[in-house]
Amino acid sequence: MYARDNESGATSPQQQPTSAQVDAAVDAFRMLSDATRLRLMWLLSHGEYDVNSLSAEIEVARPSVSQHLAKLRMSGLVQTRRDGRRVLYRARDVHVRGLINEALFHADHEVSGIPRHD
């Protein structure tokens, strides 16, 4: 019997993602492929910020930050809430925060020479 034969009672491999799931993941990665948006998402993964605070933190003009936030919000990576007249932004959920953290942990291995691990 060959390993590829599933007659031994072994569980089948994980089911392939649907086209809709792949498309959504590609859209998310596309949004994160911009350095400004990735910096914004790192901050938003660690707390809530308004546009002015984000602009000051990453030293990018407020109108540019607003445009990036609009794209991130439309893609479902960011959510908002009102606090009086201010709008506060944050990463949508634990999955988005994990994605950002893992991407940057991976990058740390790439640039620092830290040994890879499983």
Side-chain angles (χ1 to χ4, degrees), residues 41-86:
M41 288 304 302
W42 184 85
L43 287 169
L44 297 173
S45 293
H46 295 91
E48 290 184 316
Y49 292 84
D50 64 13
V51 175
N52 289 329
S53 299
L54 288 167
S55 178
E57 284 284 333
I58 65 170
E59 299 177 345
V60 172
R62 187 184 185 285
S64 180
V65 169
S66 291
Q67 289 177 356
H68 285 296
L69 288 170
K71 289 178 183 180
L72 291 167
R73 187 172 169 205
M74 286 178 57
S75 69
L77 296 173
V78 167
Q79 68 182 23
T80 62
R81 76 174 180 89
R82 283 214 168 268
D83 181 31
R85 295 180 61 185
R86 296 183 321 153

Side-chain angles (χ1 to χ4, degrees), residues 5-70:
D5 294 338
N6 198 19
E7 297 173 4
S8 66
T11 59
S12 62
Q14 187 172 3
Q15 189 174 10
Q16 290 286 319
T18 66
S19 292
Q21 290 169 320
V22 169
D23 290 344
V26 167
D27 289 342
F29 283 122
R30 188 176 292 122
M31 285 293 110
L32 298 173
S33 68
D34 179 272
T36 299
R37 287 194 290 265
L38 187 55
R39 284 185 170 99
L40 289 170
M41 288 304 302
W42 184 85
L43 287 169
L44 297 173
S45 293
H46 295 91
E48 290 184 316
Y49 292 84
D50 64 13
V51 175
N52 289 329
S53 299
L54 288 167
S55 178
E57 284 284 333
I58 65 170
E59 299 177 345
V60 172
R62 187 184 185 285
S64 180
V65 169
S66 291
Q67 289 177 356
H68 285 296
L69 288 170

